[in-house]
Amino acid sequence: MSELTVSRHFVEAALVGAERAGLDTRAMLREAGISPDLLRIEMARVSSTQYSRLMQVTWNAMGDEFMGLGPRRCRTGTFATMCALVIDCPNLEAVYRQAFEFCRLFDPMVAMELEVEDTAARLVTVIEGDIHDPMHFFRESILVIWHRLGSWLIGQPVELLKAEFSYPRPPHGDEYRHIFHCPLSFEANETALTFDKRFLQAPVIRDRSEMRQFLKTSPADLLSRPDESNTFTGRIRALIGRDFARSLPDFEWIAAELHTSPQTLRRRLKQENTSFQEIKDLLRRDMAIYYLSRPDLPINDIAFRVGFTEPSTFHRAFKKWTGVTPGAYREGERGQLRD
């Protein structure tokens, strides 16, 4: 069924190092199930499955978990070794401190260092040496992987209070809202994540057998498939479901199902940098992209499946989401996009 989608920006950013190394990135895209033609559409998106596959293809092709973007080569298997080291830690604080000590073994070091204050904790990015990261992908990936690994180990999302970036807001900065679900600060002194320090005492609940299964697709899945189950955004997506052909639940019903008031829910969604309307719109967009990948479905049928009674209204909405019509998008996916 449909799944979260990933912006074209992150597809191209992930391939910067491979292009610099002279690898055939078009072949790498095709191996991941992504049509190179699709990337000619400025606002195109790929499925999280395709993106996860692309990460694995890139790491295997380069033999470098930093994908040619870091200050040195990071041999494949480094992340798995770090995970094997932290799985026996008693709680999240021990995980982050042990992971930092592991990363100190490599020169130059790339890590996130834990700082604990009165009520908050911060993970601060530490990158020694020069990096080739023109699209900020390397720094973003470090934030995402460390945050989501910690969340997976304790079995609950570590709710972020703030995400800071030591560079100006990039053109794709709006995507950060859906990655970090918290207030964003650009041109900060450091690149860091802040969260309530109570999470540090959360126990590690995963075991080694779960870790072995986890490592079959990670860290690729950490970058492509965030665990939103305990965020209000994710819980609302689950309550809305996938059947847009029927009447959607209203906001008051959603709030009641989540055992909160509409006013509180609006405030929580604002803290997560989104709104009820945006959640519905993005769910429709992701479902439409999924259905367009199925050649057996006529576009008018797709319009109905994602909740539009008039195909023309669907065409206008889809063009607003992606910059092109559903037909042109489908041609891009098939590698048949006309100039």
Side-chain angles (χ1 to χ4, degrees):
M1 205 31 225
S2 67
E3 54 187 327
L4 294 170
T5 60
V6 179
S7 166
R8 158 188 177 262
H9 162 84
F10 295 110
V11 175
E12 295 187 329
L15 293 173
V16 165
E19 289 176 351
R20 191 178 181 214
L23 299 182
D24 186 348
T25 55
R26 290 177 67 85
M28 291 166 67
L29 285 166
R30 285 190 287 267
E31 188 178 345
I34 301 170
S35 164
D37 252 16
L38 183 64
L39 301 189
R40 292 166 55 193
I41 298 173
E42 186 177 350
M43 296 167 69
R45 306 184 72 84
V46 301
S47 73
S48 56
T49 298
Q50 290 171 316
Y51 193 68
S52 181
R53 229 181 276 137
L54 180 64
M55 294 296 96
Q56 293 168 317
V57 167
T58 305
W59 286 317
N60 291 336
M62 302 193 73
D64 179 7
E65 291 183 357
F66 290 165
M67 297 180 287
L69 305 173
R72 58 173 168 80
R73 180 185 174 196
C74 179
R75 292 181 184 275
T76 50
T78 302
F79 177 78
T81 303
M82 185 180 79
C83 287
L85 189 66
V86 302
I87 190 64
D88 293 323
C89 288
N91 57 34
L92 186 62
E93 179 170 7
V95 165
Y96 283 141
R97 296 203 185 281
Q98 188 74 74
F100 181 76
E101 290 303 313
F102 173 77
C103 293
R104 285 183 68 245
L105 299 174
F106 301 90
D107 185 26
M109 177 172 63
V110 175
M112 295 198 78
E113 186 169 15
L114 180 66
E115 297 179 353
V116 183
E117 300 165 356
D118 291 341
T119 59
R122 296 175 80 230
L123 280 174
V124 182
T125 305
V126 179
I127 301 177
E128 298 175 342
D130 296 327
I131 60 174
H132 178 72
D133 190 28
M135 299 173 81
H136 310 295
F137 182 74
F138 181 61
R139 284 161 285 187
E140 294 163 359
S141 297
I142 294 167
L143 292 182
V144 170
I145 288 172
W146 279 63
H147 173 236
R148 292 179 182 169
L149 173 63
S151 298
W152 180 81
L153 285 167
I154 65 171
Q156 59 175 309
V158 176
E159 298 173 18
L160 298 175
L161 300 174
K162 182 168 61 173
E164 300 169 271
F165 307 91
S166 61
Y167 46 85
R169 182 186 180 92
H172 65 285
D174 196 55
E175 292 286 334
Y176 286 27
R177 294 190 298 115
H178 311 297
I179 296 172
F180 299 104
H181 298 292
C182 68
L184 309 171
S185 175
F186 294 93
E187 298 187 81
N189 292 329
E190 298 169 309
T191 297
L193 300 175
T194 301
F195 54 93
D196 192 308
K197 77 172 188 180
R198 65 184 168 84
F199 286 103
L200 294 178
Q201 301 312 310
V204 172
I205 65 167
R206 307 294 183 178
D207 59 28
R208 288 191 173 273
S209 63
E210 288 176 293
M211 179 62 81
R212 282 192 294 273
Q213 188 64 33
F214 170 80
L215 287 172
K216 289 180 180 179
T217 55
S218 289
D221 273 5
L222 292 179
L223 289 169
S224 62
R225 291 189 180 90
D227 178 10
E228 293 187 319
S229 57
N230 283 344
T231 64
F232 281 94
T233 301
R235 290 157 73 186
I236 290 172
R237 284 175 69 104
L239 285 171
I240 291 173
R242 297 292 187 265
D243 186 4
F244 275 73
R246 59 174 175 78
S247 296
L248 295 185
D250 61 27
F251 190 70
E252 286 68 27
W253 182 87
I254 292 282
E257 287 294 301
L258 295 176
H259 307 291
T260 187
S261 68
Q263 294 83 357
T264 299
L265 184 55
R266 284 193 188 92
R267 187 170 66 251
R268 292 304 301 267
L269 289 178
K270 187 176 182 180
Q271 290 170 351
E272 291 184 8
N273 260 328
T274 190
S275 67
F276 184 52
Q277 186 61 51
E278 184 175 48
I279 290 169
K280 290 189 292 185
D281 287 343
L282 297 188
L283 192 51
R284 280 191 172 100
R285 178 201 67 194
D286 290 352
M287 288 177 62
I289 288 172
Y290 165 76
Y291 284 132
L292 285 167
S293 69
R294 292 177 49 184
D296 57 307
L297 281 179
I299 288 174
N300 285 359
D301 286 0
I302 294 173
F304 176 74
R305 285 178 182 237
V306 296
F308 291 88
T309 54
E310 293 293 331
S312 59
T313 310
F314 170 60
H315 279 249
R316 283 196 298 273
F318 192 84
K319 192 163 186 179
K320 181 181 177 183
W321 295 330
T322 66
V324 296
T325 64
Y329 198 93
R330 176 171 270 176
E331 288 172 359
E333 283 198 321
R334 293 173 176 173
Q336 299 171 345
L337 191 63
R338 293 186 289 271
D339 292 326

